[in-house]
Amino acid sequence: MQPDSNSVKWGKLKGDAEEAMRPLPLGPRVAAIVEDAKYKKASTGSDMIEAKMAIFEGEPLNRKLFNNFVLTPDNAFAMNMFFARMEAFGIDGSVFTKLEQQPGDIVQHLAVIAELMVGRKVWVTMDEPRSFGGVARDNPNKFEVYPGQPAVVFNAGGLPGASAGPTGG
């Protein structure tokens, strides 16, 4: 049986695609959950965690958000922002203290931190859209603790693949 050639709703597909690329407005806070996070090397050569999140509370529901958490050891202000953002995900000083006691390089340690982020919930506030490749994109800028989650427990049984303990919520 031949499929109906008019069964594809190209207009709806195009509209949905355009809506997905339309940056979220400045300001409104949405709740997002980290679906995936991993270590990456930035185009600048900096080490970073690349995170993919999904909005689970607020509009538009299920919208994907992307953010890079860049490690810049030679810039104390940037490092303060990095640690503040990690704390929003429940990854606080106690985790970094334990991680420091584990053998491994920056790549292995950031990979463990990325693992700890997966499943964590966070409040996200948007800043002015940023341009990437000539296209205006979402600019998640402020990350705050989402209440009611269990604490991140870092029980390093050796790197990589340390036990993240309970996550999510």
Side-chain angles (χ1 to χ4, degrees):
M1 175 180 218
Q2 289 286 339
D4 180 1
S5 63
N6 294 326
S7 65
V8 177
K9 306 294 184 204
W10 291 107
K12 180 178 180 347
L13 291 173
K14 186 174 186 316
D16 289 350
E18 288 170 350
E19 182 59 33
M21 290 302 294
R22 186 171 292 119
L24 294 175
L26 174 68
R29 187 167 86 153
V30 295
I33 187 166
V34 179
E35 293 183 327
D36 189 37
K38 57 189 165 202
Y39 167 83
K40 278 218 142 171
K41 185 71 85 170
S43 60
T44 61
S46 296
D47 298 297
M48 68 179 188
I49 296 171
E50 181 182 76
K52 179 175 94 172
M53 298 167 272
I55 296 173
F56 71 90
E57 187 177 306
E59 293 294 327
L61 198 60
N62 296 318
R63 168 81 173 259
K64 303 300 182 206
L65 300 174
F66 302 91
N67 200 71
N68 297 329
F69 299 92
V70 181
L71 196 67
T72 315
D74 59 343
N75 182 330
F77 178 76
M79 289 305 302
N80 186 54
M81 287 186 65
F82 175 84
F83 287 118
R85 288 175 170 181
M86 291 299 104
E87 285 185 16
F89 291 94
I91 302 168
D92 62 13
S94 67
V95 173
F96 287 101
T97 298
K98 290 177 185 175
L99 189 58
E100 186 176 288
Q101 298 167 5
Q102 298 300 312
D105 61 15
I106 194 71
V107 173
Q108 292 169 309
H109 286 191
L110 285 177
V112 169
I113 294 166
E115 273 184 40
L116 294 173
M117 292 174 74
V118 174
R120 301 297 296 180
K121 297 174 182 176
V122 65
W123 284 112
V124 182
T125 303
M126 296 296 146
D127 204 346
E128 291 287 340
R130 63 179 177 222
S131 180
F132 183 78
V135 177
R137 303 291 293 270
D138 289 326
N139 189 9
N141 189 45
K142 186 176 182 183
F143 299 86
E144 298 172 273
V145 173
Y146 188 87
Q149 295 188 88
V152 169
V153 178
F154 176 68
N155 298 315
L159 297 175
S163 168
T167 60

